[in-house]
Amino acid sequence: MSKNIVSRFENNPILTKEDVPYKVETVHNAGVVKQEERYIMLFRSHLDTGRSIIGIAESEDGFKFKVRPEPFMTASSQTGFAEYEKFGIEDPRITLLEGTYYITYSAYSEYGVRIGLAKTMDFESVERVAFITQADYRNAVLFPEKINGKYARLDRPHTNINPWSIWISYSPDLIHWGQSKLIIKPAAYHWDEMKIGPGAPPIKTDKGWLNIYHGAFKTMAGAVYRLGVALHKLDEPDKVLGVADNWILQPEDSSETVGYVPNVVFCCGAVPEEDGTLKLYWGAADKVLCAGTAVIDELVELCLSDSRKPK
Ligand code: BMA
């Protein structure tokens, strides 16, 4: 059943390096939002140094994107930010929160990887706000509204003791974060046993917050990255109502199984539509960008009916 839960767009990949008017080696992990009637995408590209920058593309239908002539964000030269972004910026996620678009991204430097927060009102200019973690964290996604008077986020810290898991934290101002808790752990000898991390920013549904996350499974030929879903209680998102036992998408098409890093589908964004579907975007094999659709109620149902314990 889970195999067909996501329908791939027939003309995948939707974006490749050939579509980018400046020199890049890849187009992959991307955050996407719908702004009035247009879709805005922020996507990661590797440069030939192996370091990453973030480009911007626009679309009317959510599938056919046109890339703007200049990148949207590159490693900062601003005091306070530059020394932590020297090795590049990766994997942008976008959340519309109180009328502002917030962007979380992974900032790499010799000191490790940490989460940067930036904001824009219009996707014309962008302003860095702060680093919101120390090293080593990746995959931070903001909830699109305050919950019980606080901002909330999911993220994934690194540790050698426990398999890398999904945590929640809260903040009064988006800058200072605390009340952190581990809420979902990889399941032993399962598709996501090696590590998991948040994917798209949480999507509000009647039954809870839908969390589309990635999970990795170690093989003799490297890790296989798949996507899964979990549901969190609306007014208490650290309570996980269910984690779907099976993945919703795995590498199958040749663009997903062969590329820069084989066997990867990696999600940083999904757009809920008024008709109850969502558009899902994933970096395929860390080389190109693919898209598909799913029915939100079906994803929610998987979390509730075919679920396993969160930890
Ligand atoms: C993760 C991140 C992602 C990447 C994935 C597959 O650890 O680095 O940006 O897409 O690995 O290589």
Side-chain angles (χ1 to χ4, degrees):
M1 176 181 61
S2 60
K3 284 194 181 121
N4 299 321
I5 197 99
V6 175
S7 309
R8 285 177 172 79
F9 179 57
E10 56 198 3
N11 294 322
N12 273 341
I14 62 167
L15 218 56
T16 71
K17 68 173 184 176
E18 277 74 37
D19 301 311
V20 181
Y22 43 91
K23 193 170 177 312
V24 292
E25 300 305 317
T26 64
V27 167
H28 54 307
N29 306 337
V32 185
V33 282
K34 200 168 175 182
Q35 190 199 31
E36 283 146 29
E37 283 314 299
R38 65 176 183 161
Y39 296 78
I40 303 272
M41 169 188 289
L42 298 181
F43 62 88
R44 170 180 171 194
S45 287
H46 277 125
L47 301 174
D48 56 12
T49 56
R51 297 181 181 179
S52 295
I53 60 170
I54 295 172
I56 183 165
E58 289 166 67
S59 167
E60 276 173 22
D61 66 359
F63 294 113
K64 225 183 283 153
F65 280 85
K66 187 163 169 32
V67 179
R68 288 200 201 150
E70 302 291 335
F72 188 64
M73 290 176 77
T74 56
S76 179
S77 51
Q78 206 179 316
T79 311
F81 289 95
E83 66 174 322
Y84 293 103
E85 298 190 6
K86 229 187 273 170
F87 294 172
I89 51 175
E90 306 187 352
D91 297 1
R93 273 92 173 182
I94 314 166
T95 300
L96 176 61
L97 187 51
E98 298 167 346
T100 299
Y101 294 95
Y102 286 94
I103 302 152
T104 50
Y105 59 95
S106 303
Y108 274 83
S109 71
E110 63 208 275
Y111 308 121
V113 54
R114 61 192 305 202
I115 302 298
L117 179 69
K119 65 178 182 180
T120 178
M121 299 299 290
D122 52 10
F123 291 99
E124 296 301 329
S125 62
V126 58
E127 189 188 319
R128 275 161 171 88
V129 179
F131 289 111
I132 56 171
T133 69
Q134 300 153 296
D136 268 311
Y137 289 78
R138 286 181 46 94
N139 304 312
V141 294
L142 298 177
F143 285 76
E145 59 189 60
K146 277 186 173 167
I147 302 171
N148 298 319
K150 298 220 172 88
Y151 298 105
R153 78 168 192 228
L154 303 176
D155 64 34
R156 206 280 312 284
H158 302 184
T159 162
N160 287 333
I161 297 173
N162 187 48
W164 300 359
S165 304
I166 296 177
W167 289 61
I168 194 163
S169 300
Y170 296 93
S171 169
D173 57 6
L174 290 171
I175 295 172
H176 305 92
W177 293 85
Q179 294 168 269
S180 305
K181 255 197 211 173
L182 184 156
I183 54 171
I184 310 178
K185 245 181 101 154
Y189 213 76
H190 215 46
W191 64 270
D192 59 353
E193 73 162 356
M194 184 185 166
K195 56 176 182 173
I196 58 174
I203 292 164
K204 196 173 192 182
T205 75
D206 293 348
K207 296 198 171 147
W209 293 104
L210 181 67
N211 164 15
I212 300 169
Y213 71 97
H214 67 263
F217 186 86
K218 206 168 172 181
T219 76
M220 296 303 281
V224 178
Y225 278 74
R226 298 182 173 93
L227 300 181
V229 278
L231 196 70
H232 302 237
K233 203 167 167 214
L234 282 181
D235 56 355
E236 248 176 313
D238 39 308
K239 293 238 156 62
V240 180
L241 303 172
V243 180
D245 200 37
N246 290 321
W247 41 265
I248 59 159
L249 186 76
Q250 73 163 350
E252 280 173 15
D253 277 5
S254 58
S255 60
E256 299 159 349
T257 56
V258 182
Y260 180 64
V261 180
N263 296 315
V264 173
V265 292
F266 193 91
C267 176
C268 294
V271 175
E273 302 285 5
E274 273 167 16
D275 65 0
T277 62
L278 62 75
K279 290 191 175 62
L280 188 67
Y281 299 88
W282 61 91
D286 282 8
K287 189 173 178 189
V288 297
L289 191 79
C290 291
T293 56
V295 176
I296 295 173
D297 282 351
E298 287 180 14
L299 298 176
V300 168
E301 198 42 40
L302 278 180
C303 299
L304 295 174
S305 62
D306 179 27
S307 54
R308 63 158 156 100
K309 284 208 310 221
K311 51 180 190 169

